Amino acid sequence: ARVPGFRPGHVPMGLVKKQYGKAVLSEELNKVVSQSLQEYISENKLDILGNPIPAEGEDSFKGDFENPDTFEFYYDIALAPEVNVPLSGKNKF
């Protein structure tokens, strides 16, 4: 990181964490959550409509950015309905 007053590569880690820590953490959380959602959808062979959206409410997110040990996210996933249309020789199109 380049910070005025410090030579390149010699910025104290504490200062780097203070300036960029939360932004880096949120970017990495976004990557991990997105990848996990896609893996869940693929593993369970879900036919979904649209994209998963974060659930609403107070319980939709659990975690602390000051002490980033564990985070929990809840998403709503719209499943495509299964439609069976019986066709016979009498049906004309």
Side-chain angles (χ1 to χ4, degrees):
R2 289 184 175 237
V3 177
F6 295 96
R7 291 182 295 158
H10 290 87
V11 180
M13 184 56 79
L15 185 61
V16 173
K17 284 183 180 180
K18 185 177 180 181
Q19 286 185 342
Y20 303 107
K22 289 183 183 179
V24 171
L25 177 62
S26 63
E27 187 175 319
E28 287 301 312
L29 282 173
N30 190 25
K31 279 192 228 179
V32 170
V33 168
S34 178
Q35 182 181 11
S36 297
L37 279 169
Q38 293 305 320
E39 286 177 9
Y40 177 80
I41 291 168
S42 296
E43 287 174 3
N44 293 299
K45 298 177 183 169
L46 299 176
D47 291 328
I48 64 170
L49 298 173
N51 294 320
I53 57 172
E56 292 183 16
E58 295 177 14
D59 297 335
S60 64
F61 167 77
K62 294 179 184 174
D64 182 12
F65 282 96
E66 300 300 324
N67 300 312
D69 291 337
T70 304
F71 288 91
E72 290 183 23
F73 297 91
Y74 295 92
Y75 279 77
D76 292 328
I77 299 175
L79 299 176
E82 187 175 317
V83 178
N84 292 325
V85 179
L87 297 174
S88 66
K90 296 179 183 179
N91 298 41
K92 294 184 180 182
F93 294 99

